[in-house]
Amino acid sequence: QPGKIGKDVKTKEILLEVNSNINQGRYQWYKNDVAIPEATLPFIIASETGEYYCRIVAGDCDKKSEIKSVII
């Protein structure tokens, strides 16, 4: 087809979320122990292989979710 560049790419993604009953908490997601910029909601859509977890801070409470291994 004229104007078409490259190949069609199929995207694989997975939804990761934390079920937290912490009100007014701050969320930060990490991939391979590195903070993911702007990943500050109780969920993230992972599109790369790695180990993911979420850190939740609310007042004096500081919790870390289970590590989820994602293979894409």
Side-chain angles (χ1 to χ4, degrees):
Q1 293 177 349
K4 190 170 185 177
I5 299 173
K7 296 180 180 179
D8 291 335
V9 177
K10 292 183 180 177
T11 303
K12 293 183 180 179
E13 299 174 329
I14 187 167
L15 174 66
L16 301 175
E17 57 186 339
V18 289
N19 293 321
S20 170
N21 57 0
I22 299 173
N23 292 326
Q24 306 299 319
R26 293 188 323 264
Y27 299 87
Q28 178 60 61
W29 283 90
Y30 292 78
K31 183 181 103 178
N32 301 330
D33 288 323
V34 177
I36 302 169
E38 300 180 28
T40 56
L41 296 173
F43 64 89
I44 188 172
I45 298 173
S47 59
E48 297 178 358
T49 296
E51 292 190 339
Y52 292 80
Y53 68 88
C54 185
R55 183 173 170 212
I56 308 160
V57 178
D60 293 337
C61 184
D62 188 340
K63 300 281 185 180
K64 179 178 161 182
S65 71
E66 292 180 29
I67 294 174
K68 298 290 184 184
S69 293
V70 173
I71 299 172
I72 304 274

